[in-house]
Amino acid sequence: MRRTAIPARLRWQLASRRSQGGFTLIEMLVVISILGILAAVVSMSLVGLNSLAQKRADDGELMTVQSAMNFMLTDQLVDPDIACSAYAGGPRGVTDMAAFPATAPSPPPSPSPGSAGHRPLPLYPHYLRGRYTRRPYVCTGNGTVTAAS
């Protein structure tokens, strides 16, 4: 039996068909499964980040209000106990910093710069940029600001 020679053009077409390979269904399922597992792992690691970020934002806001209170006490030469005794927000706290720590308008400053004891200025707009805070705050003794519960 004699073999016949295959023309070059036909030989090239047969070779290109054999080399044209695609992904099998099993390979595609494996890749999709791996991607699904990675997505599940990433989404589970992001679950607790929202509450952690909110807690850190609340802590930062408290530090900002306390810093503004400290600066106001130093700048206005106000006794910290007088500043907190002027607080009239009650135990529920205040979110409006235009009424914190005192709700009454402040009197004009004393003629002598060394005298202390006048009512403090509100924190907004003199010491804080924003008028409202996310959480209510209470002025406790000695000029300390705490979050209302």
Side-chain angles (χ1 to χ4, degrees):
M1 193 160 150
R2 188 169 172 232
R3 283 181 115 172
T4 58
I6 301 175
R9 183 171 185 225
L10 185 59
R11 210 176 324 145
W12 178 80
Q13 286 178 347
L14 288 174
S16 67
R17 279 190 190 155
R18 280 188 229 136
S19 68
Q20 277 185 346
F23 294 112
T24 64
L25 181 61
I26 298 295
E27 291 171 335
M28 293 297 285
L29 288 175
V30 167
V31 169
I32 290 172
S33 300
I34 290 172
L35 290 175
I37 290 170
L38 287 174
V41 167
V42 167
S43 65
M44 291 304 291
S45 68
L46 295 177
V47 167
L49 288 182
N50 193 20
S51 62
L52 178 64
Q54 190 61 55
K55 182 184 178 331
R56 287 185 179 170
D58 290 343
D59 291 345
E61 185 181 71
L62 174 63
M63 288 173 34
T64 300
V65 173
Q66 181 64 57
S67 295
M69 180 74 163
N70 292 342
F71 186 65
M72 184 269 305
L73 294 173
T74 305
D75 188 40
Q76 297 295 316
L77 300 173
V78 177
D79 183 28
D81 292 324
I82 293 173
C84 286
S85 66
Y87 170 73
R92 294 185 61 197
V94 187
T95 58
D96 184 4
M97 292 295 118
F100 189 83
T103 54
S106 62
S110 304
S112 62
S115 65
H118 57 276
R119 293 180 66 95
L121 288 172
L123 295 183
Y124 174 82
H126 305 286
Y127 302 101
L128 285 175
R129 290 184 185 174
R131 179 172 181 160
Y132 297 100
T133 56
R134 202 183 81 66
R135 293 190 307 176
Y137 292 100
V138 176
C139 185
T140 60
N142 202 19
T144 306
V145 177
T146 57
S149 47

